[in-house]
Amino acid sequence: MNLNSSLFNIPLVNNVLYYDTIDSTNNKAKELAKRGSVHGSLVVAKSQTSGKGRLGRSFDSLSDDGLYFSLMLRPRVNPNHLSGITLVAALAVSKSIDKISSTKTSIKWPNDIYLGQKKLAGILTEAGSDYVVLGIGINVNTSSFNDELLHTATSLYLETTTIFQKEDLLEHILYEFSALYDQFIKSDTLSFMTEDYNRRLGCLNKEVYIIPQNRSLQSNNPSLIDVSDLSPMTCNGINSEGALICYDEQNKIHFINSGEVSLRII
């Protein structure tokens, strides 16, 4: 993978570090943040030995067929607004993948990108006292998965039989995210993107199970979590604060925040 020099034409990118192998691009980006590195520091790796997912789960990224990167930001916004960065990134990734591959991805709120019924990409946002690290992992040219992921994960290659240039996809995503992030910083809400986001939301108008976080933490594989005692809800998209709007069986409205739960579409 040869990074495009045009990355530095993206307003949000101010520093770039590239590694053949690293434990986690998020770990390196957090290290840079604590050492006073500039806003817009980008860390890219061919492979990760300890890729990280949401709720402490691992993200399989040992293969150099994927795209793995983290962007360190120092956003000057209300701390209560920071969780929206994950949703901004999900929209940017979904739009960019569709543009470069002519596919139609969907967003699994709040942080995964799906192609069909399988996971294509994951996003992990971690915040410190004066920084946010946005980590993104995408299965680009992966040709096979292990038995554990075989039925839940996919790649652009498996869906299209086309080999993609990862550096081009990276550039597309960073351009798209940069434009959305600029609006995010200027806005107190996500109203500028909720319509676009909801069009891509995989659970829109579908029944879902809302799984409490303490239960989600019991398994590294969300599909194995017991939901037999949970009641389904119907999803009606996100609101301008990024919360998922759901209606229970009694038609009572609930606003679900991403830090509290996991989601499973029925």
Side-chain angles (χ1 to χ4, degrees):
M1 179 177 177
N2 298 308
L3 298 185
N4 298 335
S5 60
S6 51
L7 284 175
F8 289 101
N9 295 330
I10 302 172
L12 202 56
V13 177
N14 294 308
N15 183 31
V16 179
L17 288 84
Y18 177 72
Y19 297 87
D20 281 339
T21 302
I22 197 173
D23 60 345
S24 160
T25 57
N26 262 33
N27 285 348
K28 175 55 69 173
K30 286 189 291 183
E31 177 188 320
L32 293 174
K34 293 170 184 175
R35 285 165 40 192
S37 190
V38 295
H39 167 83
S41 292
L42 174 67
V43 181
V44 186
K46 283 179 66 176
S47 65
Q48 299 179 115
T49 57
S50 301
K52 301 164 68 176
R54 185 168 172 259
L55 301 180
R57 297 190 176 106
S58 61
F59 185 86
D60 185 12
S61 47
L62 286 171
S63 165
D64 64 1
D65 293 323
L67 174 60
Y68 319 114
F69 66 97
S70 297
L71 186 64
M72 192 277 287
L73 307 166
R74 298 191 187 276
R76 296 179 180 177
V77 296
N78 185 320
N80 295 328
H81 193 36
L82 287 178
S83 62
I85 290 179
T86 302
L87 280 69
V88 173
L91 180 57
V93 172
S94 178
K95 292 177 71 173
S96 299
I97 291 174
D98 289 358
K99 185 180 297 183
I100 203 170
S101 66
S102 299
T103 56
K104 188 175 182 181
T105 57
S106 63
I107 299 171
K108 182 186 177 188
W109 179 89
N111 67 316
D112 288 336
I113 306 301
Y114 271 59
L115 193 46
Q117 302 300 312
K118 295 183 177 182
K119 182 175 175 177
L120 179 68
I123 298 166
L124 175 64
T125 307
E126 298 183 280
S129 58
D130 61 348
Y131 68 87
V132 170
V133 166
L134 175 67
I136 296 174
I138 305 170
N139 301 323
V140 182
N141 296 321
T142 311
S143 59
S144 63
F145 291 94
N146 61 36
D147 290 345
E148 184 181 356
L149 298 174
L150 185 61
H151 301 294
T152 58
T154 192
S155 71
L156 284 176
Y157 172 76
L158 288 174
E159 298 294 334
T160 66
T161 66
T162 300
I163 296 293
F164 292 91
Q165 298 300 314
K166 294 185 291 181
E167 53 269 32
D168 293 342
L169 178 56
L170 172 64
E171 188 171 351
H172 271 78
I173 292 170
L174 290 172
Y175 266 115
E176 189 70 52
F177 178 74
S178 184
L180 290 170
Y181 181 80
D182 185 58
Q183 295 181 73
F184 170 80
I185 291 298
K186 294 175 181 176
S187 175
D188 291 332
T189 72
L190 297 177
S191 56
F192 69 91
M193 55 167 265
T194 51
E195 184 177 347
D196 199 0
Y197 186 99
N198 283 332
R199 279 198 298 265
R200 296 172 176 272
L201 188 61
C203 64
L204 185 65
N205 299 323
K206 295 180 180 179
E207 287 193 317
V208 299
Y209 287 122
I210 303 298
I211 306 171
Q213 187 180 103
N214 60 350
R215 188 177 302 189
S216 296
L217 292 171
Q218 295 173 8
S219 174
N220 195 47
N221 186 342
S223 64
L224 299 179
I225 298 170
D226 181 18
V227 295
S228 58
D229 61 326
L230 299 178
S231 298
M233 294 190 186
T234 301
C235 169
N236 197 37
I238 63 166
N239 64 13
S240 61
E241 303 302 320
L244 198 65
I245 307 166
C246 293
Y247 290 86
D248 63 22
E249 292 173 308
Q250 286 73 47
N251 211 34
K252 180 181 177 182
I253 191 170
H254 299 260
F255 298 100
I256 312 297
N257 293 308
S258 60
E260 302 171 355
V261 301
S262 291
L263 180 74
R264 183 187 298 177
I265 299 174
I266 301 174

